[in-house]
């Protein structure tokens, strides 16, 4: 099996493990930034096999500069998305914050 056969390239910025909805960025983030072992990653993502995790790591090692750029773009997109969500929270998020604020005084009174 060729290494590329493990992945579905949906777009230049969207590479997923074949047969899953998991992007390579999810696997590689755990491996590179959280220093998890391939076995720990396979346990974390139940739809991914250990073989797929190793294939993703191997892909990263073979195309490191390309995948580093892919990950940098993904991290920047994620930061921008979080920032936008903080500036413009959804109505559900606003309700959740209000509910949490209302419950804090009740919990303090019960202590």
């Amino acid at each position: 099996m060729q290494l590329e056969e493990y992945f579905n390239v949906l777009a230049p910025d969207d590479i997923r493990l074949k047969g899953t909805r998991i992007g390579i960025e999810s696997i590689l983030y755990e491996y590179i930034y959280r220093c998890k072992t391939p076995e720990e990653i396979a346990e974390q993502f139940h739809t991914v096999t250990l073989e797929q995790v190793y294939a993703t790591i191997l892909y990263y090692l073979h195309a490191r500069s390309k995948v580093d750029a892919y990950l940098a773009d993904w991290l920047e997109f994620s930061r921008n998305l979080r920032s936008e969500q903080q500036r413009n929270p959804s109505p559900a998020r606003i309700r959740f914050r209000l509910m949490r604020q209302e419950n804090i005084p009740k919990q303090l009174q019960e202590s």
Side-chain angles (χ1 to χ4, degrees):
M1 180 177 254
Q2 296 293 328
L3 190 57
E4 294 79 21
E5 293 176 28
Y6 284 93
F7 309 105
N8 284 328
V9 179
L10 303 177
D13 62 348
D14 191 3
I15 304 172
R16 299 186 190 190
L17 289 158
K18 197 166 272 188
T20 75
R21 295 173 58 191
I22 307 295
I24 64 168
E25 67 279 354
S26 298
I27 302 297
L28 294 173
Y29 186 84
E30 297 300 321
Y31 179 72
I32 297 167
Y33 298 104
R34 294 199 172 151
C35 301
K36 290 190 177 180
T37 66
E39 291 78 12
E40 290 172 323
I41 296 168
E43 285 180 28
Q44 179 178 345
F45 296 98
H46 300 288
T47 59
V48 174
T49 67
L50 185 58
E51 182 178 353
Q52 289 174 308
V53 173
Y54 275 109
T56 304
I57 294 167
L58 184 60
Y59 177 66
Y60 168 68
L61 295 173
H62 276 276
R64 195 168 193 153
S65 60
K66 177 181 172 183
V67 178
D68 279 342
Y70 176 94
L71 290 173
D73 289 345
W74 173 74
L75 287 169
E76 181 64 25
F77 172 79
S78 298
R79 282 187 204 106
N80 290 338
L81 186 60
R82 273 192 303 276
S83 178
E84 178 62 27
Q85 289 171 342
Q86 288 173 348
R87 283 192 307 272
N88 299 306
S90 70
R93 186 72 171 145
I94 293 169
R95 282 194 309 273
F96 176 74
R97 286 180 186 163
L98 290 172
M99 288 171 46
R100 195 167 72 187
Q101 287 173 353
E102 290 172 1
N103 284 333
I104 290 174
K106 291 177 186 176
Q107 292 173 349
L108 291 175
Q109 291 172 2
E110 293 173 1
S111 299

